[in-house]
């Protein structure tokens, strides 16, 4: 309650005065009690949101599959099942093709990536659709003062263009693409870079995404996670990462981050 919070704060102040702590130590102690008093052991007041794009905010799966099909056919490779292709969504393209075709070298993977991108860029903007409730939810979060970053395995310039197409670019404070780090998803590097740009604390930050790669990145970074179950990730794949929360629609995010 508010009363218990102010009593705790008063105790801290008395203790601080007696021991003559410096201001920084006092602030850190005061801030920790603030989080615990209002948020409990698990739920914190999330101020910083790291959000994936494909399958979380944008409906892109159809065009992604077409681009994979086109690249694979042009290279004369055996077509994998769509379920196997879908399982790579969330990874950068080069490792995606290497996962689908373990025997190919870097040169062949680069050729496949080039063919994929050529097709995808021709269709991605005209076929892109927002997830239901996307714009309305981002508007609410922005008005509540949330700082938000798009963290995607795509190139940064394309993330910006896709967000601009959906008219959501201005809701975000930064865009983090895979080329900005040495180790992309599921490693922690992209999340850490986004937090650095936002000036975020781990306890106030949450990663929202629809695949194992998103949740694993959040876990590797030591922040809370939210699985967008309506997206492209399979439950049996994501549940091993033990996401902090699960949402069935993007608009449910407002219930978690307040």
């Amino acid at each position: 309650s508010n009363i218990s919070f102010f009593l705790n704060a008063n105790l801290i102040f008395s203790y601080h005065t007696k021991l003559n702590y410096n201001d920084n130590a006092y602030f850190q102690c005061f801030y920790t009690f603030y989080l615990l008093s209002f948020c409990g052991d698990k739920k914190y007041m999330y101020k910083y949101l790291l959000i994936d794009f494909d399958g979380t905010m944008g409906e892109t799966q159809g065009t992604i599959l077409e681009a994979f099909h086109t690249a694979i056919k042009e290279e004369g490779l055996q077509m994998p099942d769509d379920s196997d292709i879908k399982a790579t969504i969330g990874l950068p393209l080069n490792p995606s093709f290497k996962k689908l075709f373990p025997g190919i070298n870097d040169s062949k993977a680069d050729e496949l990536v080039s063919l994929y991108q050529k097709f995808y860029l021709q269709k991605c903007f005209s076929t892109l659709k927002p997830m239901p409730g996307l714009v309305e939810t981002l508007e609410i979060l922005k008005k509540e003062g949330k700082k938000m970053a798009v963290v995607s395995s795509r190139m940064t310039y394309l993330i910006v263009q896709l967000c601009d197409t959906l008219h959501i670019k201005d809701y975000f404070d930064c865009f983090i693409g895979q080329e900005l780090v040495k180790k992309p998803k599921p490693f922690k590097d992209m999340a850490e870079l986004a937090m650095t740009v936002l000036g975020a604390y781990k306890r106030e930050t949450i990663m929202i995404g629809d695949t194992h790669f998103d949740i694993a990145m959040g876990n590797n970074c030591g922040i809370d996670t939210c699985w967008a179950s309506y997206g492209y990730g399979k439950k049996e794949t994501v549940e091993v990462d033990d996401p902090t929360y699960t949402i069935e629609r993007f608009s449910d995010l407002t219930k978690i981050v307040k």
Side-chain angles (χ1 to χ4, degrees):
S1 69
N2 291 354
I3 294 176
S4 65
F5 166 68
F6 285 112
L7 286 173
N8 287 333
N10 187 54
L11 287 172
I12 296 171
F13 180 76
S14 300
Y15 192 57
H16 156 69
T17 304
K18 186 181 296 183
L19 295 181
N20 196 28
Y21 278 177
N22 61 47
D23 290 341
N24 185 56
Y26 166 64
F27 172 78
Q28 292 295 333
C29 192
F30 184 90
Y31 187 63
T32 298
F33 261 86
Y34 172 79
L35 288 174
L36 292 176
S37 296
F38 282 104
C39 307
D41 296 331
K42 189 74 171 180
K43 296 182 179 179
Y44 301 104
M45 297 177 68
Y46 299 110
K47 294 182 180 179
Y48 306 98
L49 281 58
L50 314 184
I51 310 178
D52 171 58
F53 186 81
D54 294 277
T56 303
M57 294 193 294
E59 173 54 75
T60 57
Q61 185 171 258
T63 308
I64 288 174
L65 288 174
E66 282 190 72
F68 269 105
H69 293 164
T70 300
I72 293 168
K73 285 178 182 176
E74 289 200 25
E75 283 297 306
L77 298 172
Q78 183 175 351
M79 189 66 64
D81 291 337
D82 278 355
S83 60
D84 293 327
I85 297 176
K86 291 176 184 177
T88 70
I89 296 177
L91 282 175
L93 289 172
N94 195 289
S96 291
F97 280 112
K98 286 184 176 180
K99 186 175 181 179
L100 292 169
F101 305 102
I104 64 173
N105 56 30
D106 289 340
S107 177
K108 177 64 73 174
D110 289 342
E111 289 177 15
L112 286 162
V113 170
S114 180
L115 290 168
Y116 173 102
Q117 290 176 331
K118 181 180 178 180
F119 177 87
Y120 187 81
L121 290 173
Q122 290 174 349
K123 297 196 66 175
C124 64
F125 301 111
S126 62
T127 59
L128 178 63
K129 295 180 181 180
M131 290 296 183
L134 175 68
V135 177
E136 297 86 350
T137 303
L138 291 175
E139 180 73 23
I140 292 171
L141 295 173
K142 193 68 174 179
K143 285 182 178 179
E144 290 178 349
K146 308 301 182 185
K147 298 293 184 180
M148 296 182 283
V150 182
V151 182
S152 169
S153 291
R154 295 192 178 280
M155 300 291 281
T156 304
Y157 82 92
L158 185 54
I159 300 170
V160 174
Q161 290 180 359
L162 291 168
C163 287
D164 195 32
T165 300
L166 292 180
H167 306 293
I168 61 172
K169 185 179 72 172
D170 293 342
Y171 293 113
F172 293 95
D173 299 277
C174 70
F175 305 85
I176 305 297
Q178 56 96 4
E179 85 282 4
L180 299 181
V181 298
K182 291 183 177 180
K183 294 182 178 181
K185 299 178 185 181
F187 296 96
K188 64 181 181 178
D189 300 34
M190 296 178 73
E192 286 189 337
L193 177 57
M195 290 175 62
T196 298
V197 175
L198 295 177
Y201 294 97
K202 285 187 176 182
R203 275 196 159 186
E204 295 177 306
T205 305
I206 186 168
M207 175 66 209
I208 302 103
D210 66 309
T211 71
H212 150 74
F213 308 109
D214 301 312
I215 306 306
M217 179 182 66
N219 288 342
N220 289 332
C221 189
I223 60 178
D224 282 354
T225 57
C226 176
W227 177 44
S229 64
Y230 56 85
Y232 307 148
K234 292 184 177 180
K235 182 178 180 180
E236 60 268 25
T237 303
V238 178
E239 64 183 4
V240 299
D241 298 305
D242 192 25
T244 314
Y245 309 96
T246 297
I247 54 175
E248 296 181 355
R249 57 189 66 84
F250 191 80
S251 59
D252 290 343
L253 199 53
T254 58
K255 304 172 185 177
I256 292 173
V257 301
K258 286 186 177 181

